Amino acid sequence: NVLCISITGHKKKHRQRLYPSFLARKAEHRAEHRAGKKACVKRVFVINPVAGPKNPAEQLRPMIASAAGQCSDEVEVLETTHAGHAGEITERYASCGEPVAIYACGGDGTFNEVVQAAVGKPWVMAGCVPYGSGNDFVRNFGGREAFLDIPAQLKAEAHAVDTIRTEYGYSVAICAAGL
């Protein structure tokens, strides 16, 4: 299952030239993970409390707390307070330069903010926990059910994806145009 993605927008050869230390850390992390050693990825759930018909934090906080107890990674839960806040949070964690998985808990707008801030930073992985009204991104993968499985989200391995750059920003998996 592709539940968490690393958004780079670069070809693999280019990525290796630009970020060799990250690729070495990523390979080391995978080897440790497979050997059953403690993983070293910080996981941050960014909840948009105004996404969807009711506040997703009410349902998500207990689910995340329960799953975090089974996870060896550090897990943090934050709520957005204003438009653009999910992107600001992603930028803050990205600036550390250490592997981090940011899970956008909300709608396509929340996920878009995380994506815009994660592009070009292969140490930042973006996950989507769909609690919005449309959830167009996850519809491309068969629906939202698999994405709502928090323990699976925490165990998922990141996969790099390419992006489409437009005058409005970056797009992952979907880029629609109309007349």
Side-chain angles (χ1 to χ4, degrees):
N1 290 341
V2 179
L3 300 176
C4 193
I5 56 178
S6 176
I7 305 166
T8 62
H10 300 292
K11 299 274 187 233
K12 187 174 185 178
K13 186 166 87 174
H14 188 180
R15 211 176 20 213
Q16 288 173 338
R17 188 166 41 94
L18 287 176
Y19 306 104
S21 63
F22 167 74
L23 292 173
R25 282 195 318 251
K26 187 172 180 181
E28 184 179 297
H29 170 72
R30 282 187 177 164
E32 287 177 357
H33 184 69
R34 288 187 181 125
K37 294 182 182 176
K38 187 176 184 211
C40 59
V41 175
K42 182 175 198 100
R43 300 184 181 277
V44 182
F45 287 83
V46 179
I47 301 173
N48 179 350
V50 296
K54 56 184 178 178
N55 185 350
E58 295 170 7
Q59 284 185 313
L60 283 171
R61 280 191 179 276
M63 291 167 52
I64 294 167
S66 174
Q70 309 291 320
C71 178
S72 61
D73 294 333
E74 183 181 344
V75 177
E76 192 171 342
V77 179
L78 303 171
E79 288 188 36
T80 61
T81 59
H82 56 274
H85 196 199
E88 293 168 11
I89 292 169
T90 303
E91 285 287 348
R92 185 174 75 227
Y93 283 94
S95 69
C96 296
E98 293 296 320
V100 61
I102 308 286
Y103 299 91
C105 305
D108 293 317
T110 308
F111 184 61
N112 182 54
E113 288 181 22
V114 171
V115 166
Q116 300 309 309
V119 167
K121 301 170 186 89
W123 59 93
V124 179
M125 295 153 279
C128 183
V129 180
Y131 268 82
S133 53
N135 303 308
D136 291 329
F137 175 75
V138 299
R139 210 175 294 155
N140 287 300
F141 300 97
R144 59 190 293 245
E145 289 72 31
F147 290 85
L148 295 173
D149 185 345
I150 302 300
Q153 288 271 19
L154 293 173
K155 292 176 189 170
E157 190 170 314
H159 297 274
V161 297
D162 288 326
T163 59
I164 301 168
R165 184 177 177 192
T166 72
E167 62 185 274
Y168 303 106
Y170 291 90
S171 174
V172 179
I174 305 169
C175 189
L179 297 175

